[in-house]
Amino acid sequence: MFTGIIETQGTINEITKDNDNINITIASAITHELKIDQSVSHDGVCLTVVAINGDYYTVTAIKETLDKTNLKDWAVGGIVNLERAMKLGDRLDGHIVQGHVDQTGVCKSVENANGSWYFTFGYDKAANNITIEKGSITVNGVSLTVVNSKDNEFSVAIIPYTFEHTNFNAIKPGTIINLEFDVVGKYVARLHALRN
């Protein structure tokens, strides 16, 4: 479990294919604190550390993960949001994040709001996921509050700190992002689907 509060970022150093899987090697300031078998959120995707070598660590993404996330679009040099799993007893500063991406979305617009930014994202509503006005959403692993919730799109407001310390500064219209919908929203969506 995670909180959606990004600890740091990593830089993709190498990507190698292994049958249907890929191995991703990342350089990060927290590498020396990691251990093999540890779960780390990468742009909202929970991946297990399988190797550590100096300042670099490696994770493996299987086909299922590649099919449902934007990892298939990652490239060497890319910047990734990182968060280690929360400890029992820690403050929950964001919201409960599982690290299980529900689907990808696409950035539709970025609006400069004189000191902050509004990002609008669209997603395929056929997956039966929903956002709730003022509810929580995870975008590339970042816990955010939904504004302007619609059937297949929503917006979030990004403060300067988040813009500077996450990969939101690289998101532009057309960028594919990872979405994990709030567990409460998931529950409401499932009830709605069962009634119809």
Side-chain angles (χ1 to χ4, degrees), residues 110-187:
V110 180
E111 177 189 346
N112 190 319
N114 196 26
S116 62
W117 295 263
Y118 282 98
F119 285 76
T120 299
F121 299 103
Y123 60 94
D124 182 359
K125 65 179 182 177
N128 290 322
N129 291 307
I130 63 168
T131 57
I132 299 169
E133 191 72 19
K134 305 303 180 193
S136 296
I137 186 77
T138 307
V139 177
N140 277 0
V142 182
S143 173
L144 299 163
T145 301
V146 171
V147 296
N148 199 21
S149 175
K150 297 182 180 175
D151 275 350
N152 63 343
E153 72 173 48
F154 65 93
S155 298
V156 292
I158 301 298
I159 63 173
Y161 183 89
T162 303
F163 189 82
E164 292 163 12
H165 291 88
T166 71
N167 60 16
F168 260 88
N169 53 45
I171 296 174
K172 57 187 183 296
T175 299
I176 304 298
I177 46 87
N178 293 322
L179 294 173
E180 181 181 329
F181 293 80
D182 184 37
V183 290
V184 175
K186 289 179 193 180
Y187 178 72

Side-chain angles (χ1 to χ4, degrees), residues 62-76:
I62 62 172
K63 185 177 185 303
E64 171 78 5
T65 302
L66 298 174
D67 288 345
K68 292 191 174 176
T69 69
N70 68 2
L71 269 69
K72 59 187 163 291
D73 301 323
W74 284 8
V76 170

Side-chain angles (χ1 to χ4, degrees), residues 6 12 44-45 56 60 69 90-91 100 104 131 157-158 164 175:
I6 303 305
I12 300 170
V45 182
Y56 302 92
T60 300
T69 69
D90 279 356
R91 288 187 180 91
H100 304 156
T104 57
T131 57
I158 301 298
E164 292 163 12
T175 299

Side-chain angles (χ1 to χ4, degrees), residues 31-106:
T31 300
H32 67 283
E33 298 177 36
L34 301 179
K35 62 184 184 63
I36 291 174
D37 289 337
Q38 188 169 2
S39 295
V40 179
S41 171
H42 298 75
D43 273 5
V45 182
C46 179
L47 298 171
T48 302
V49 175
V50 297
I52 298 171
N53 185 6
D55 293 333
Y56 302 92
Y57 71 93
T58 302
V59 293
T60 300
I62 62 172
K63 185 177 185 303
E64 171 78 5
T65 302
L66 298 174
D67 288 345
K68 292 191 174 176
T69 69
N70 68 2
L71 269 69
K72 59 187 163 291
D73 301 323
W74 284 8
V76 170
I79 304 298
V80 182
N81 296 328
L82 301 176
E83 180 191 358
R84 287 175 288 178
M86 61 188 270
K87 295 178 184 174
L88 200 58
D90 279 356
R91 288 187 180 91
L92 185 60
D93 291 325
H95 72 281
I96 295 173
V97 176
Q98 295 176 299
H100 304 156
V101 170
D102 294 301
Q103 66 184 99
T104 57
V106 62

